[in-house]
Amino acid sequence: MYDQTRAQQPAGQSRPPTERRTPGPEPLLPSAEREQVLQRLRHALNTFADTPHDALAEAESAYDEATAQLVSALAARRELLRAAWADQGTATAAESAEPADLTSQSDEHRNALRQYREITQRLLQL
């Protein structure tokens, strides 16, 4: 699609950072944690020629750290999702006094289901 504003900018000039869009969902791990693991992995790759055994040990350690951080992040995400809907499920529809409450609860459940779907699909694409 043609972007007239972008086309009128001088060559080499990009959009301001506030206008940039990040495609897709937010990363599961914070950028600082991801960067730390990536630095360790780069170090292992760069030192492989001189010390292959040590480099492999460091790469394995970086892998283990990334795996542990990912499991922790997924568990935290699950806890947040569950907390959003589990307490609401204890009240029956008959106990709800207002139809607006039912609509709000249904919307929250729908949102939680959407989030479960998105995170599960992301896991299956790994």
Side-chain angles (χ1 to χ4, degrees):
M1 186 180 246
Y2 181 74
D3 184 350
Q4 184 176 2
T5 305
R6 191 171 179 187
Q8 293 174 349
Q9 292 178 346
Q13 183 177 352
S14 62
R15 287 192 268 172
T18 56
E19 291 184 32
R20 293 181 189 200
R21 295 182 191 157
T22 55
E26 70 180 57
L28 291 172
L29 297 178
S31 61
E33 291 177 9
R34 283 193 327 264
E35 188 57 36
Q36 182 181 12
V37 172
L38 287 172
Q39 283 177 353
R40 292 181 61 202
L41 186 58
R42 281 191 292 267
H43 183 262
L45 294 170
N46 290 334
T47 60
F48 179 77
D50 297 330
T51 56
H53 189 270
D54 291 344
L56 287 170
E58 186 168 7
E60 180 181 41
S61 177
Y63 173 84
D64 290 344
E65 183 179 340
T67 303
Q69 289 177 0
L70 182 59
V71 167
S72 178
L74 289 170
R77 176 78 56 95
R78 181 186 182 282
E79 289 297 320
L80 287 173
L81 283 172
R82 182 148 179 82
W85 66 268
D87 291 339
Q88 297 171 358
T90 58
T92 64
E95 293 172 347
S96 179
E98 298 289 327
D101 291 342
L102 291 175
T103 302
S104 174
Q105 182 179 5
S106 178
D107 289 343
E108 290 175 12
H109 286 168
R110 191 173 292 109
N111 184 39
L113 181 60
R114 179 185 54 78
Q115 290 180 45
Y116 276 120
R117 181 194 70 212
E118 288 174 1
I119 195 71
T120 303
Q121 287 175 335
R122 288 173 64 190
L123 283 172
L124 294 173
Q125 292 176 356
L126 291 178

